[in-house]
């Protein structure tokens, strides 16, 4: 969850990036898409996703204005404050945007044909974990930022549901690492254990950043709902449907433009994301 200082700082950063006032898509026949930097840089993110959204805008019969913001949290704030019409966002970011600004889901994104992914905990090379979580007691743990779905919220909820407090269960506990840094720290033996998610770890292996045996998955969550395409509170319903249909209706040839491991879109509903709302409330990071 964003604290007040981080929320204000993020709002300022997004305001600088997305300074133009929100304009209703139908009034100027333009859809304003905001993206977080999913790739290594903002420029690379634009290069990867702009062709897809040009196809989508053409199918909708509107113009496209695409902006890449500084981070995932910032794009959630931008959607909640209606600075943009629609965005791709992580599941927890969507839950926050829905709670804060009544954002609505259009599509769920598919990864390797599936609408789900999993949180994982990895161990450094050579570390033997035969009984989980007992054998992990007293080891060092690196979690991600407290705003991360799989890097903090899901594993923290799993431990607390079993009466275990991560900050005292582990011998050396830290929060705030990036997903890549945490995977590398475990691979290099700097920490015993680190959190993350399967898609990101597999991407790092595919890109050669780490090897398949650089660290070992010792725990994984139940399936979690994937990233979404969400729209702002007052985005016209007919436009939301048109956006959904354009994304779901991408041809097999057009889907080849999607960056690995994304393979398409399916119509989305809020129901699968209620499990994250429940976790957030039980952890006290999402108010009823």
């Amino acid at each position: 969850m964003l604290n007040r200082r981080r929320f204000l700082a993020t709002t300022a950063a997004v305001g600088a990036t997305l300074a133009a006032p929100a304009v209703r898509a139908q009034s100027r026949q333009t859809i304003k898409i905001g993206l977080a930097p999913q790739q290594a840089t903002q420029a690379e993110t634009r290069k990867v996703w702009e062709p897809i959204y040009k196809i989508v805008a053409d199918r909708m019969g509107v113009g496209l204005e695409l902006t890449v913001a500084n981070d995932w949290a910032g794009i959630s704030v931008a959607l909640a404050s209606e600075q943009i019409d629609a965005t791709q966002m992580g599941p927890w970011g969507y839950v926050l945007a829905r709670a804060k600004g009544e954002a609505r889901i259009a599509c769920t994104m598919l990864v390797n044909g599936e609408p789900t992914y999993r949180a994982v905990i990895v161990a450094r090379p050579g570390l033997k974990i035969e009984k989980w979580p007992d054998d992990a007691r007293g080891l060092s743990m690196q979690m991600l930022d407290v705003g991360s779905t799989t890097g903090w919220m899901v594993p923290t909820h799993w431990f607390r549901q079993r009466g275990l407090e991560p900050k005292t269960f582990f011998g050396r506990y830290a929060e705030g690492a990036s997903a890549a840094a945490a995977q590398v720290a475990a691979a290099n033996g700097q920490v015993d254990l680190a959190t993350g998610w399967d898609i990101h770890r597999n991407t790092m292996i595919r890109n050669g950043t780490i090897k398949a045996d650089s660290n070992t998955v010792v725990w994984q969550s139940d399936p979690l709902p994937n990233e979404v395409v969400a729209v702002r509170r007052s985005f016209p319903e007919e436009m939301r449907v048109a956006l959904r249909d354009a994304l779901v209706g991408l041809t097999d040839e057009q889907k080849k433009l999607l960056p690995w491991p994304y393979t398409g879109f399916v119509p989305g509903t809020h129901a699968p994301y209620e499990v994250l709302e429940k976790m957030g409330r039980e952890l006290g990071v999402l108010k009823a």
Side-chain angles (χ1 to χ4, degrees), residues 105-188:
I105 189 171
C107 297
T108 293
M109 301 176 71
L110 295 177
V111 172
N112 295 323
E114 298 294 331
T116 60
Y117 74 123
R118 295 175 186 264
V120 298
I121 294 176
V122 298
R124 61 172 170 78
L127 180 61
K128 301 297 183 183
I129 302 287
E130 295 181 359
K131 186 176 182 182
W132 180 265
D134 303 56
D135 292 349
R137 186 182 295 274
L139 299 179
S140 59
M141 164 62 83
Q142 176 65 65
M143 287 205 185
L144 308 189
D145 187 274
V146 295
S148 171
T149 308
T150 52
W152 184 84
M153 188 176 73
V154 173
T156 297
H157 183 268
W158 189 90
F159 278 104
R160 290 185 182 174
Q161 285 292 100
R162 289 156 181 77
L164 304 173
E165 174 51 54
K167 290 182 179 180
T168 56
F169 179 80
F170 295 105
R172 179 164 57 87
Y173 174 89
E175 298 170 349
S178 71
Q183 290 290 320
V184 171
N188 291 342

Side-chain angles (χ1 to χ4, degrees), residues 60-281:
M60 295 174 67
V62 300
L64 172 66
E65 184 178 343
L66 188 142
T67 306
V68 183
N70 297 316
D71 54 35
W72 287 93
I75 211 67
S76 179
V77 173
L79 189 69
S81 59
E82 299 200 85
Q83 297 180 62
I84 55 177
D85 293 322
T87 186
Q88 295 174 186
M89 60 198 323
W92 180 234
Y94 157 68
V95 168
L96 289 176
R98 184 176 187 271
K100 293 177 180 294
E102 301 177 27
R104 293 173 292 140
I105 189 171
C107 297
T108 293
M109 301 176 71
L110 295 177
V111 172
N112 295 323
E114 298 294 331
T116 60
Y117 74 123
R118 295 175 186 264
V120 298
I121 294 176
V122 298
R124 61 172 170 78
L127 180 61
K128 301 297 183 183
I129 302 287
E130 295 181 359
K131 186 176 182 182
W132 180 265
D134 303 56
D135 292 349
R137 186 182 295 274
L139 299 179
S140 59
M141 164 62 83
Q142 176 65 65
M143 287 205 185
L144 308 189
D145 187 274
V146 295
S148 171
T149 308
T150 52
W152 184 84
M153 188 176 73
V154 173
T156 297
H157 183 268
W158 189 90
F159 278 104
R160 290 185 182 174
Q161 285 292 100
R162 289 156 181 77
L164 304 173
E165 174 51 54
K167 290 182 179 180
T168 56
F169 179 80
F170 295 105
R172 179 164 57 87
Y173 174 89
E175 298 170 349
S178 71
Q183 290 290 320
V184 171
N188 291 342
Q190 296 170 295
V191 295
D192 295 318
L193 302 164
T195 58
W197 66 97
D198 57 353
I199 296 170
H200 179 262
R201 179 175 181 270
N202 292 338
T203 300
M204 291 186 70
I205 292 171
R206 185 175 186 269
N207 292 343
T209 307
I210 61 174
K211 296 180 180 179
D213 59 355
S214 292
N215 55 41
T216 304
V217 176
V218 294
W219 173 85
Q220 65 177 8
S221 70
D222 292 333
L224 301 165
N226 266 350
E227 297 167 50
V228 307
V229 176
V231 301
R232 58 179 169 83
R233 174 178 54 244
S234 58
F235 194 58
E237 176 61 12
E238 65 272 18
M239 292 290 285
R240 185 193 71 85
V241 172
L243 174 62
R244 178 198 69 192
D245 292 348
L247 287 166
V248 172
L250 291 172
T251 67
D252 290 343
E253 192 65 28
Q254 290 166 344
K255 289 176 184 176
K256 292 179 182 178
L257 297 173
L258 293 168
W260 190 91
Y262 298 102
T263 53
F265 303 82
V266 291
T269 67
H270 179 66
Y273 300 86
E274 291 175 354
V275 63
L276 300 178
E277 286 185 323
K278 182 174 183 291
M279 287 184 191
R281 292 192 182 101

